[in-house]
Amino acid sequence: MKKHKDIAGKKSENIDLEELLREKEKLESLIKRKFTRKITLLFTDISGSTRMSELLGDFQMRTILKDHNDILFPCIRANKGILVKTMGDGTMSYFDDARAAVKAAIDIQRGINNYNTEKDCDPPLMIRCGLNTGLGIVEKNDVYGDVVNVAQRFESMAEPKQILISQDTYQLVKDDPDITVVFLKEANLRGKLGPQKTYRVLWLPADVKNYQERSHFSDEFGKYVDGAVTGDLPAQGGLEDHSEESRKTKAGFKDARIVVERKGKDPEYFPIPKSRSIIVIGRSKKTNIMLPEVYVSRKHAQIVREGGKYYLEDLKSNIGTQIRGEKIVREQIKDGDEFVIGSVKLVLQLAGEDGFKEIGKGHDAEATMFMQADLAPRFLVEKGGVVVSEHAIGEKPMTLGRMSTCNVKLDSPMVSRQHARIYLLEEDVFIEDLNSNNGTMVNGKRVSKAKIGPDDNIQIGPFTIKIINLNQSESGGKDDVFSLTKKVFSFLHKK
Protein backbone atom coordinates (compact mmCIF):
# COMPACT_ATOMS: atom_id res chain seq x y z
CA MET A 1 0.00 0.00 0.00
CA LYS A 2 1.28 3.41 -0.92
CA LYS A 3 2.61 5.46 2.01
CA HIS A 4 0.97 8.91 2.63
CA LYS A 5 3.36 11.82 3.00
CA ASP A 6 3.00 15.12 4.81
CA ILE A 7 3.63 18.57 3.32
CA ALA A 8 7.37 18.29 3.93
CA GLY A 9 7.51 14.94 2.12
CA LYS A 10 8.00 12.84 5.24
CA LYS A 11 6.23 9.54 5.72
CA SER A 12 3.17 10.01 7.94
CA GLU A 13 4.12 7.26 10.40
CA ASN A 14 7.42 9.07 11.13
CA ILE A 15 5.76 12.36 12.22
CA ASP A 16 5.49 12.87 15.97
CA LEU A 17 2.75 14.81 17.79
CA GLU A 18 4.82 17.96 18.33
CA GLU A 19 5.45 18.22 14.60
CA LEU A 20 1.74 17.86 13.88
CA LEU A 21 0.93 20.61 16.38
CA ARG A 22 3.47 22.92 14.72
CA GLU A 23 1.84 22.26 11.34
CA LYS A 24 -1.56 22.95 12.92
CA GLU A 25 -0.33 26.31 14.22
CA LYS A 26 0.97 27.22 10.75
CA LEU A 27 -2.38 26.31 9.20
CA GLU A 28 -4.33 28.34 11.76
CA SER A 29 -2.03 31.31 11.20
CA LEU A 30 -2.57 31.03 7.45
CA ILE A 31 -6.36 30.93 7.91
CA LYS A 32 -6.27 33.97 10.20
CA ARG A 33 -4.15 35.97 7.76
CA LYS A 34 -6.38 35.06 4.83
CA PHE A 35 -9.88 35.24 6.35
CA THR A 36 -9.71 37.31 9.57
CA ARG A 37 -9.72 41.09 9.44
CA LYS A 38 -11.06 44.14 11.24
CA ILE A 39 -14.52 45.06 9.98
CA THR A 40 -17.62 47.00 11.04
CA LEU A 41 -20.89 45.08 11.01
CA LEU A 42 -24.21 46.83 10.32
CA PHE A 43 -27.50 45.16 11.21
CA THR A 44 -30.88 46.64 10.30
CA ASP A 45 -34.38 45.47 11.13
CA ILE A 46 -37.89 46.78 10.46
CA SER A 47 -39.60 47.81 13.69
CA GLY A 48 -43.11 46.46 14.25
CA SER A 49 -43.13 44.40 11.04
CA THR A 50 -45.51 41.78 12.47
CA ARG A 51 -48.03 44.45 13.38
CA MET A 52 -47.65 46.07 9.94
CA SER A 53 -48.31 42.73 8.22
CA GLU A 54 -51.46 42.23 10.27
CA LEU A 55 -52.71 45.73 9.44
CA LEU A 56 -51.73 45.87 5.76
CA GLY A 57 -51.85 42.26 4.62
CA ASP A 58 -49.13 40.05 3.15
CA PHE A 59 -49.16 41.49 -0.38
CA GLN A 60 -48.90 45.12 0.70
CA MET A 61 -46.19 44.20 3.22
CA ARG A 62 -44.22 42.45 0.47
CA THR A 63 -44.41 45.63 -1.62
CA ILE A 64 -43.13 47.69 1.31
CA LEU A 65 -40.29 45.20 1.85
CA LYS A 66 -39.26 45.63 -1.79
CA ASP A 67 -39.27 49.43 -1.38
CA HIS A 68 -37.24 48.96 1.82
CA ASN A 69 -34.62 46.92 -0.06
CA ASP A 70 -34.54 49.45 -2.91
CA ILE A 71 -33.51 52.08 -0.35
CA LEU A 72 -31.07 50.02 1.72
CA PHE A 73 -29.09 48.12 -0.89
CA PRO A 74 -27.85 51.21 -2.85
CA CYS A 75 -26.89 52.97 0.43
CA ILE A 76 -24.75 49.98 1.42
CA ARG A 77 -23.09 49.76 -2.01
CA ALA A 78 -22.52 53.54 -2.24
CA ASN A 79 -20.53 53.41 1.00
CA LYS A 80 -18.45 50.43 -0.20
CA GLY A 81 -20.19 47.91 2.01
CA ILE A 82 -20.90 44.27 1.31
CA LEU A 83 -24.44 42.99 1.82
CA VAL A 84 -23.92 39.56 3.38
CA LYS A 85 -27.54 38.45 3.65
CA THR A 86 -31.13 39.40 4.30
CA MET A 87 -33.02 37.81 7.18
CA GLY A 88 -36.74 38.26 6.66
CA ASP A 89 -37.11 42.03 7.09
CA GLY A 90 -33.57 42.52 8.41
CA THR A 91 -30.15 42.86 6.76
CA MET A 92 -26.54 42.16 7.67
CA SER A 93 -23.64 43.88 5.91
CA TYR A 94 -20.00 44.67 6.65
CA PHE A 95 -17.58 47.50 5.86
CA ASP A 96 -13.80 47.81 6.00
CA ASP A 97 -14.17 51.46 7.08
CA ALA A 98 -16.18 52.21 10.25
CA ARG A 99 -16.97 55.75 9.08
CA ALA A 100 -18.40 54.43 5.84
CA ALA A 101 -20.56 51.99 7.80
CA VAL A 102 -22.03 54.74 9.99
CA LYS A 103 -22.61 56.99 6.98
CA ALA A 104 -24.43 54.12 5.28
CA ALA A 105 -26.71 53.81 8.33
CA ILE A 106 -27.38 57.56 8.25
CA ASP A 107 -28.20 57.41 4.52
CA ILE A 108 -30.55 54.50 5.17
CA GLN A 109 -32.47 56.28 7.95
CA ARG A 110 -32.78 59.45 5.90
CA GLY A 111 -33.91 57.46 2.88
CA ILE A 112 -36.59 55.67 4.92
CA ASN A 113 -37.69 59.00 6.43
CA ASN A 114 -38.08 60.55 2.97
CA TYR A 115 -39.99 57.46 1.81
CA ASN A 116 -42.50 57.84 4.66
CA THR A 117 -43.00 61.52 3.80
CA GLU A 118 -43.45 60.93 0.07
CA LYS A 119 -45.74 57.91 0.43
CA ASP A 120 -47.59 59.28 3.50
CA CYS A 121 -47.22 55.79 5.02
CA ASP A 122 -49.67 54.71 7.72
CA PRO A 123 -48.25 53.04 9.71
CA PRO A 124 -44.84 54.45 8.80
CA LEU A 125 -41.89 52.26 7.89
CA MET A 126 -39.35 52.50 10.74
CA ILE A 127 -36.09 50.62 11.14
CA ARG A 128 -33.43 50.08 13.80
CA CYS A 129 -29.68 50.05 13.10
CA GLY A 130 -26.88 48.57 15.21
CA LEU A 131 -23.13 48.66 14.49
CA ASN A 132 -20.01 47.15 16.04
CA THR A 133 -16.35 47.01 15.02
CA GLY A 134 -13.92 44.14 15.62
CA LEU A 135 -12.17 41.12 14.17
CA GLY A 136 -14.33 38.82 12.09
CA ILE A 137 -13.87 35.75 9.92
CA VAL A 138 -14.95 36.86 6.46
CA GLU A 139 -15.93 34.20 3.95
CA LYS A 140 -17.48 34.60 0.54
CA ASN A 141 -21.09 34.37 1.71
CA ASP A 142 -20.97 34.97 5.47
CA VAL A 143 -19.18 36.57 8.41
CA TYR A 144 -18.48 34.91 11.76
CA GLY A 145 -17.22 35.97 15.16
CA ASP A 146 -18.12 37.93 18.27
CA VAL A 147 -18.22 41.15 16.24
CA VAL A 148 -21.39 39.82 14.57
CA ASN A 149 -23.16 38.89 17.81
CA VAL A 150 -22.45 42.25 19.46
CA ALA A 151 -23.62 44.26 16.42
CA GLN A 152 -26.89 42.33 16.39
CA ARG A 153 -27.45 43.04 20.08
CA PHE A 154 -26.96 46.77 19.54
CA GLU A 155 -29.57 46.62 16.75
CA SER A 156 -32.09 44.81 18.97
CA MET A 157 -31.49 47.39 21.73
CA ALA A 158 -32.22 50.35 19.43
CA GLU A 159 -35.57 52.13 19.36
CA PRO A 160 -37.36 52.68 16.03
CA LYS A 161 -35.49 55.25 13.88
CA GLN A 162 -32.32 54.95 16.03
CA ILE A 163 -28.73 54.15 15.10
CA LEU A 164 -26.75 52.66 18.00
CA ILE A 165 -23.01 51.95 17.88
CA SER A 166 -20.51 50.29 20.21
CA GLN A 167 -17.55 52.01 21.85
CA ASP A 168 -15.17 50.30 19.40
CA THR A 169 -17.05 51.88 16.50
CA TYR A 170 -17.34 55.22 18.32
CA GLN A 171 -13.56 55.45 18.76
CA LEU A 172 -13.11 55.22 14.98
CA VAL A 173 -15.79 57.77 13.99
CA LYS A 174 -15.76 60.32 16.84
CA ASP A 175 -13.38 62.72 15.03
CA ASP A 176 -15.28 62.71 11.74
CA PRO A 177 -16.87 66.18 11.32
CA ASP A 178 -19.72 64.69 9.26
CA ILE A 179 -20.83 62.30 12.01
CA THR A 180 -22.51 63.45 15.23
CA VAL A 181 -22.49 60.90 18.06
CA VAL A 182 -23.77 61.25 21.63
CA PHE A 183 -23.39 58.95 24.61
CA LEU A 184 -26.67 57.16 25.38
CA LYS A 185 -26.15 54.75 28.29
CA GLU A 186 -24.24 51.77 29.64
CA ALA A 187 -25.96 48.44 28.99
CA ASN A 188 -25.33 44.83 29.87
CA LEU A 189 -25.11 42.66 26.75
CA ARG A 190 -25.61 38.92 26.87
CA GLY A 191 -22.24 37.15 26.66
CA LYS A 192 -20.18 40.28 27.48
CA LEU A 193 -18.51 40.99 30.83
CA GLY A 194 -19.50 44.26 32.49
CA PRO A 195 -21.61 47.13 31.12
CA GLN A 196 -20.93 48.23 27.55
CA LYS A 197 -21.02 51.89 26.53
CA THR A 198 -23.71 52.62 23.97
CA TYR A 199 -23.67 55.60 21.62
CA ARG A 200 -26.40 57.08 19.46
CA VAL A 201 -25.74 58.56 16.01
CA LEU A 202 -27.81 61.67 15.30
CA TRP A 203 -29.10 61.79 11.72
CA LEU A 204 -32.13 64.09 11.76
CA PRO A 205 -30.93 67.60 10.79
CA ALA A 206 -32.88 69.16 13.69
CA ASP A 207 -31.17 66.84 16.20
CA VAL A 208 -27.73 67.59 14.76
CA LYS A 209 -28.34 71.36 14.85
CA ASN A 210 -29.65 71.10 18.38
CA TYR A 211 -26.45 69.34 19.47
CA GLN A 212 -24.35 72.01 17.76
CA GLU A 213 -26.36 74.77 19.48
CA ARG A 214 -25.66 73.13 22.87
CA SER A 215 -21.97 72.70 22.02
CA HIS A 216 -19.05 74.78 20.83
CA PHE A 217 -16.73 74.31 17.86
CA SER A 218 -13.29 73.04 18.85
CA ASP A 219 -10.36 74.00 16.65
CA GLU A 220 -8.37 71.21 18.32
CA PHE A 221 -10.82 68.49 17.32
CA GLY A 222 -12.22 70.18 14.22
CA LYS A 223 -15.83 69.49 15.28
CA TYR A 224 -18.51 70.37 17.82
CA VAL A 225 -17.98 69.17 21.39
CA ASP A 226 -20.07 69.70 24.51
CA GLY A 227 -17.37 69.43 27.15
CA ALA A 228 -18.44 66.01 28.41
CA VAL A 229 -16.01 63.10 28.25
CA THR A 230 -18.63 60.88 26.65
CA GLY A 231 -20.37 63.53 24.58
CA ASP A 232 -23.37 63.00 26.83
CA LEU A 233 -26.75 64.18 25.60
CA PRO A 234 -29.78 63.21 27.70
CA ALA A 235 -31.22 59.96 26.40
CA GLN A 236 -34.55 60.38 28.19
CA GLY A 237 -36.91 63.27 27.87
CA GLY A 238 -36.45 64.08 24.21
CA LEU A 239 -34.25 66.46 22.28
CA GLU A 240 -34.58 70.21 22.36
CA ASP A 241 -34.29 71.95 19.01
CA HIS A 242 -32.81 75.47 19.17
CA SER A 243 -31.83 75.83 15.49
CA GLU A 244 -32.72 78.95 13.49
CA GLU A 245 -34.95 76.93 11.18
CA SER A 246 -36.70 75.45 14.19
CA ARG A 247 -37.19 78.86 15.79
CA LYS A 248 -38.98 80.08 12.65
CA THR A 249 -41.21 77.01 12.67
CA LYS A 250 -41.99 77.37 16.37
CA ALA A 251 -43.25 80.91 15.85
CA GLY A 252 -46.29 79.38 14.15
CA PHE A 253 -46.87 76.74 16.85
CA LYS A 254 -49.77 77.07 19.23
CA ASP A 255 -49.09 76.45 22.88
CA ALA A 256 -49.76 72.79 23.60
CA ARG A 257 -50.19 70.58 26.64
CA ILE A 258 -51.16 67.07 27.66
CA VAL A 259 -54.03 66.66 30.11
CA VAL A 260 -53.92 63.51 32.27
CA GLU A 261 -57.29 62.40 33.67
CA ARG A 262 -58.14 59.78 36.27
CA LYS A 263 -61.65 59.10 37.53
CA GLY A 264 -62.52 61.09 40.65
CA LYS A 265 -59.29 63.13 40.59
CA ASP A 266 -58.42 66.60 39.39
CA PRO A 267 -56.77 66.66 35.94
CA GLU A 268 -53.00 67.11 35.70
CA TYR A 269 -51.54 69.43 33.07
CA PHE A 270 -48.17 68.95 31.34
CA PRO A 271 -47.11 71.79 28.99
CA ILE A 272 -45.24 70.80 25.83
CA PRO A 273 -42.29 73.20 25.47
CA LYS A 274 -41.86 74.61 21.98
CA SER A 275 -38.15 73.80 22.28
CA ARG A 276 -38.80 70.08 22.72
CA SER A 277 -39.55 67.75 19.79
CA ILE A 278 -40.13 64.55 21.82
CA ILE A 279 -42.17 64.08 25.01
CA VAL A 280 -41.72 60.69 26.68
CA ILE A 281 -44.50 59.13 28.79
CA GLY A 282 -43.87 56.29 31.24
CA ARG A 283 -43.36 55.07 34.78
CA SER A 284 -39.71 56.13 35.00
CA LYS A 285 -38.91 59.36 36.85
CA LYS A 286 -36.74 60.33 33.88
CA THR A 287 -39.74 60.68 31.56
CA ASN A 288 -41.44 64.00 30.84
CA ILE A 289 -44.88 62.73 31.88
CA MET A 290 -44.61 60.20 34.69
CA LEU A 291 -47.53 57.80 35.25
CA PRO A 292 -46.96 55.77 38.44
CA GLU A 293 -49.51 53.03 37.63
CA VAL A 294 -47.89 49.60 37.91
CA TYR A 295 -49.02 48.46 34.46
CA VAL A 296 -47.36 51.43 32.71
CA SER A 297 -44.00 50.56 31.14
CA ARG A 298 -40.94 52.54 32.19
CA LYS A 299 -40.81 54.11 28.71
CA HIS A 300 -44.35 53.53 27.49
CA ALA A 301 -45.06 56.00 24.68
CA GLN A 302 -43.86 59.26 23.24
CA ILE A 303 -45.32 62.29 21.48
CA VAL A 304 -43.24 63.45 18.54
CA ARG A 305 -43.61 66.83 16.85
CA GLU A 306 -42.65 66.72 13.18
CA GLY A 307 -43.33 69.49 10.69
CA GLY A 308 -45.91 71.16 12.91
CA LYS A 309 -47.86 67.92 13.44
CA TYR A 310 -48.05 65.70 16.53
CA TYR A 311 -47.63 61.93 16.43
CA LEU A 312 -48.20 59.41 19.21
CA GLU A 313 -45.83 56.41 19.19
CA ASP A 314 -46.04 53.33 21.42
CA LEU A 315 -42.59 52.23 22.65
CA LYS A 316 -43.19 48.46 22.73
CA SER A 317 -45.11 48.81 25.99
CA ASN A 318 -46.52 45.81 27.83
CA ILE A 319 -50.22 46.72 27.61
CA GLY A 320 -50.12 49.03 24.60
CA THR A 321 -51.43 52.53 23.92
CA GLN A 322 -54.98 52.88 22.57
CA ILE A 323 -56.85 55.41 20.48
CA ARG A 324 -60.59 54.83 20.02
CA GLY A 325 -60.24 51.38 21.55
CA GLU A 326 -57.50 50.21 19.15
CA LYS A 327 -53.82 49.64 19.92
CA ILE A 328 -51.52 51.88 17.90
CA VAL A 329 -47.90 51.80 16.78
CA ARG A 330 -47.78 55.38 15.52
CA GLU A 331 -50.74 57.66 14.94
CA GLN A 332 -51.17 61.36 14.22
CA ILE A 333 -53.06 63.17 16.98
CA LYS A 334 -54.79 66.54 16.81
CA ASP A 335 -56.29 69.06 19.21
CA GLY A 336 -58.72 67.31 21.55
CA ASP A 337 -57.71 63.76 20.60
CA GLU A 338 -57.76 61.28 23.48
CA PHE A 339 -55.54 58.27 24.02
CA VAL A 340 -55.65 55.70 26.79
CA ILE A 341 -52.99 53.86 28.79
CA GLY A 342 -54.71 51.33 31.02
CA SER A 343 -57.24 53.33 33.02
CA VAL A 344 -55.51 56.68 32.46
CA LYS A 345 -56.84 59.00 29.78
CA LEU A 346 -54.56 61.58 28.16
CA VAL A 347 -55.71 64.44 25.92
CA LEU A 348 -53.71 66.67 23.56
CA GLN A 349 -54.83 70.29 23.87
CA LEU A 350 -53.80 73.21 21.67
CA ALA A 351 -54.42 76.72 22.96
CA GLY A 352 -57.10 78.81 21.27
CA GLU A 353 -57.42 82.58 21.20
CA ASP A 354 -58.65 82.50 24.79
CA GLY A 355 -56.04 80.02 25.94
CA PHE A 356 -56.71 76.42 27.00
CA LYS A 357 -60.10 74.93 27.77
CA GLU A 358 -60.14 74.03 31.43
CA ILE A 359 -61.23 70.53 32.47
CA GLY A 360 -62.89 70.07 35.86
CA LYS A 361 -62.93 67.11 38.21
CA GLY A 362 -65.26 64.39 36.90
CA HIS A 363 -65.47 66.16 33.50
CA ASP A 364 -67.93 64.60 31.01
CA ALA A 365 -68.26 61.36 32.97
CA GLU A 366 -70.54 59.82 30.36
CA ALA A 367 -69.03 61.44 27.27
CA THR A 368 -66.11 59.15 26.53
CA MET A 369 -65.41 55.45 26.34
CA PHE A 370 -62.75 56.02 28.97
CA MET A 371 -65.13 57.32 31.61
CA GLN A 372 -67.78 54.73 30.77
CA ALA A 373 -65.16 52.00 31.14
CA ASP A 374 -64.28 53.25 34.62
CA LEU A 375 -67.87 52.66 35.74
CA ALA A 376 -67.83 49.08 34.46
CA PRO A 377 -66.32 45.97 36.09
CA ARG A 378 -62.58 45.64 35.64
CA PHE A 379 -60.03 42.88 35.83
CA LEU A 380 -56.43 42.73 36.94
CA VAL A 381 -53.76 40.47 35.49
CA GLU A 382 -51.26 39.07 37.97
CA LYS A 383 -48.07 37.12 37.40
CA GLY A 384 -46.06 35.76 40.31
CA GLY A 385 -48.24 37.68 42.77
CA VAL A 386 -47.53 41.04 41.05
CA VAL A 387 -50.20 43.05 39.21
CA VAL A 388 -48.96 43.62 35.66
CA SER A 389 -52.02 45.26 34.03
CA GLU A 390 -55.57 46.48 34.60
CA HIS A 391 -58.46 46.56 32.10
CA ALA A 392 -62.11 47.60 31.86
CA ILE A 393 -64.71 45.05 30.74
CA GLY A 394 -67.34 46.08 28.18
CA GLU A 395 -69.85 44.50 25.85
CA LYS A 396 -67.17 44.30 23.18
CA PRO A 397 -65.14 41.12 23.93
CA MET A 398 -61.53 41.61 25.02
CA THR A 399 -59.20 38.97 23.63
CA LEU A 400 -56.38 37.60 25.80
CA GLY A 401 -53.44 35.80 24.22
CA ARG A 402 -49.83 35.78 23.14
CA MET A 403 -50.32 37.77 19.92
CA SER A 404 -49.52 41.49 19.94
CA THR A 405 -52.92 42.15 18.33
CA CYS A 406 -54.81 40.81 21.35
CA ASN A 407 -56.40 43.42 23.61
CA VAL A 408 -54.47 41.91 26.53
CA LYS A 409 -51.11 40.40 25.63
CA LEU A 410 -50.04 37.52 27.89
CA ASP A 411 -46.43 36.80 26.99
CA SER A 412 -45.79 33.15 27.87
CA PRO A 413 -45.27 29.97 25.82
CA MET A 414 -48.03 28.39 27.94
CA VAL A 415 -50.53 30.86 26.51
CA SER A 416 -52.03 30.32 23.04
CA ARG A 417 -51.86 33.01 20.38
CA GLN A 418 -55.56 33.78 20.95
CA HIS A 419 -56.32 32.06 24.22
CA ALA A 420 -59.61 33.40 25.65
CA ARG A 421 -61.93 36.37 25.71
CA ILE A 422 -63.73 38.27 28.46
CA TYR A 423 -66.94 40.24 27.92
CA LEU A 424 -69.96 41.75 29.63
CA LEU A 425 -73.43 40.38 28.86
CA GLU A 426 -76.15 42.49 30.47
CA GLU A 427 -74.73 42.76 34.02
CA ASP A 428 -72.71 39.53 34.09
CA VAL A 429 -69.07 38.92 33.17
CA PHE A 430 -68.15 35.85 31.11
CA ILE A 431 -64.89 34.24 30.05
CA GLU A 432 -64.76 32.02 26.98
CA ASP A 433 -61.88 29.75 25.96
CA LEU A 434 -60.85 30.04 22.29
CA ASN A 435 -59.76 26.41 21.80
CA SER A 436 -56.47 27.06 23.58
CA ASN A 437 -53.85 24.35 23.98
CA ASN A 438 -53.53 24.50 27.76
CA GLY A 439 -57.05 25.60 28.60
CA THR A 440 -58.68 28.31 30.70
CA MET A 441 -59.09 27.38 34.36
CA VAL A 442 -61.83 28.72 36.65
CA ASN A 443 -61.53 27.64 40.29
CA GLY A 444 -59.25 24.78 39.26
CA LYS A 445 -61.53 23.43 36.50
CA ARG A 446 -61.02 23.72 32.76
CA VAL A 447 -63.94 25.57 31.14
CA SER A 448 -65.09 26.39 27.65
CA LYS A 449 -67.32 29.24 28.87
CA ALA A 450 -68.15 30.42 32.39
CA LYS A 451 -69.74 33.27 34.28
CA ILE A 452 -67.11 34.85 36.55
CA GLY A 453 -66.97 37.32 39.42
CA PRO A 454 -64.71 38.76 42.14
CA ASP A 455 -64.75 35.50 44.14
CA ASP A 456 -63.54 33.34 41.23
CA ASN A 457 -59.92 32.36 40.57
CA ILE A 458 -59.18 32.45 36.83
CA GLN A 459 -55.89 30.99 35.58
CA ILE A 460 -54.39 31.26 32.08
CA GLY A 461 -50.92 29.70 32.06
CA PRO A 462 -48.82 31.57 34.66
CA PHE A 463 -51.30 34.48 34.77
CA THR A 464 -54.10 34.97 37.31
CA ILE A 465 -57.16 37.05 36.40
CA LYS A 466 -58.97 38.94 39.19
CA ILE A 467 -62.39 40.50 38.57
CA ILE A 468 -63.04 43.74 40.46
CA ASN A 469 -65.77 46.39 40.46
CA LEU A 470 -64.89 49.64 42.13
CA ASN A 471 -68.59 50.48 42.54
CA GLN A 472 -69.61 47.30 44.38
CA SER A 473 -71.67 47.71 47.54
CA GLU A 474 -70.93 44.25 48.96
CA SER A 475 -68.32 44.32 51.70
CA GLY A 476 -66.55 41.28 50.33
CA GLY A 477 -65.99 43.00 46.99
CA LYS A 478 -64.63 46.08 48.71
CA ASP A 479 -62.24 43.99 50.77
CA ASP A 480 -60.97 42.30 47.59
CA VAL A 481 -60.39 45.68 45.96
CA PHE A 482 -58.68 47.02 49.09
CA SER A 483 -56.39 43.97 49.23
CA LEU A 484 -55.49 44.26 45.55
CA THR A 485 -54.94 48.00 45.85
CA LYS A 486 -52.54 47.42 48.75
CA LYS A 487 -50.66 44.89 46.61
CA VAL A 488 -50.32 47.37 43.73
CA PHE A 489 -49.08 50.20 45.95
CA SER A 490 -46.73 47.81 47.78
CA PHE A 491 -45.23 46.88 44.42
CA LEU A 492 -44.91 50.54 43.40
CA HIS A 493 -43.19 51.35 46.70
CA LYS A 494 -40.61 48.62 46.08
CA LYS A 495 -39.94 49.98 42.59
Side-chain angles (χ1 to χ4, degrees), residues 326-360:
E326 299 291 334
K327 286 186 178 181
I328 61 99
V329 176
R330 176 181 160 105
E331 187 93 9
Q332 184 181 348
I333 53 175
K334 300 178 181 178
D335 182 31
D337 282 351
E338 304 173 358
F339 56 99
V340 175
I341 297 176
S343 62
V344 182
K345 182 178 77 171
L346 301 95
V347 184
L348 172 67
Q349 280 194 333
L350 304 181
E353 293 181 0
D354 300 325
F356 292 108
K357 178 182 176 182
E358 292 300 322
I359 297 177

Side-chain angles (χ1 to χ4, degrees), residues 181-443:
V181 184
V182 296
F183 176 75
L184 185 66
K185 61 182 178 180
E186 288 190 339
N188 291 313
L189 301 184
R190 184 165 53 86
K192 302 296 289 184
L193 293 175
Q196 305 293 310
K197 286 188 175 181
T198 306
Y199 296 83
R200 176 183 170 193
V201 178
L202 304 184
W203 58 271
L204 281 169
D207 290 348
V208 174
K209 287 184 179 180
N210 170 30
Y211 178 75
Q212 293 175 351
E213 291 278 334
R214 295 175 70 253
S215 315
H216 67 277
F217 191 83
S218 168
D219 292 327
E220 179 184 355
F221 294 105
K223 66 179 294 181
Y224 288 90
V225 297
D226 66 356
V229 175
T230 57
D232 190 8
L233 185 70
Q236 309 284 347
L239 294 170
E240 293 190 2
D241 187 354
H242 300 291
S243 65
E244 182 62 30
E245 179 184 355
S246 176
R247 278 194 286 269
K248 292 178 181 178
T249 305
K250 290 170 196 167
F253 281 165
K254 294 181 179 180
D255 288 335
R257 70 182 182 183
I258 295 296
V259 184
V260 176
E261 296 183 60
R262 297 175 178 89
K263 186 177 183 301
K265 295 184 179 180
D266 291 327
E268 295 181 79
Y269 302 95
F270 296 87
I272 301 178
K274 290 185 178 181
S275 62
R276 198 172 289 280
S277 59
I278 297 176
I279 299 294
V280 181
I281 304 165
R283 204 176 74 246
S284 169
K285 292 180 180 179
K286 294 182 180 180
T287 55
N288 305 106
I289 300 176
M290 191 185 82
L291 305 179
E293 282 77 6
V294 66
Y295 48 75
V296 177
S297 298
R298 294 181 64 80
K299 286 178 65 179
H300 194 106
Q302 64 184 18
I303 296 169
V304 181
R305 182 166 52 207
E306 293 179 0
K309 296 180 181 179
Y310 291 90
Y311 296 89
L312 176 66
E313 298 177 356
D314 186 81
L315 299 176
K316 299 181 184 177
S317 63
N318 290 328
I319 65 168
T321 306
Q322 296 191 19
I323 295 180
R324 295 178 292 276
E326 299 291 334
K327 286 186 178 181
I328 61 99
V329 176
R330 176 181 160 105
E331 187 93 9
Q332 184 181 348
I333 53 175
K334 300 178 181 178
D335 182 31
D337 282 351
E338 304 173 358
F339 56 99
V340 175
I341 297 176
S343 62
V344 182
K345 182 178 77 171
L346 301 95
V347 184
L348 172 67
Q349 280 194 333
L350 304 181
E353 293 181 0
D354 300 325
F356 292 108
K357 178 182 176 182
E358 292 300 322
I359 297 177
K361 187 174 180 179
H363 166 74
D364 286 341
E366 299 295 333
T368 65
M369 284 178 57
F370 166 79
M371 290 302 180
Q372 290 173 5
D374 251 11
L375 297 174
R378 311 182 66 77
F379 68 92
L380 301 178
V381 179
E382 291 185 15
K383 185 178 182 182
V386 174
V387 177
V388 295
S389 63
E390 177 187 351
H391 310 272
I393 306 172
E395 293 182 359
K396 184 179 178 181
M398 293 194 70
T399 306
L400 296 81
R402 207 173 68 244
M403 289 181 66
S404 58
T405 51
C406 291
N407 303 103
V408 182
K409 184 181 178 183
L410 304 178
D411 194 4
S412 168
M414 296 177 66
V415 178
S416 296
R417 291 163 64 83
Q418 288 189 321
H419 196 106
R421 61 181 181 176
I422 294 178
Y423 57 92
L424 189 65
L425 183 60
E426 295 180 349
E427 295 183 356
D428 296 322
V429 180
F430 289 86
I431 189 165
E432 183 178 344
D433 188 79
L434 299 177
N435 297 317
S436 64
N437 291 329
N438 295 315
T440 301
M441 313 298 288
V442 177
N443 301 323

Side-chain angles (χ1 to χ4, degrees), residues 15 55 102 150 169 172 224 227 248 254 286 401 422:
I15 302 174
L55 290 173
V102 172
V150 174
T169 305
L172 296 173
Y224 288 90
K248 292 178 181 178
K254 294 181 179 180
K286 294 182 180 180
I422 294 178

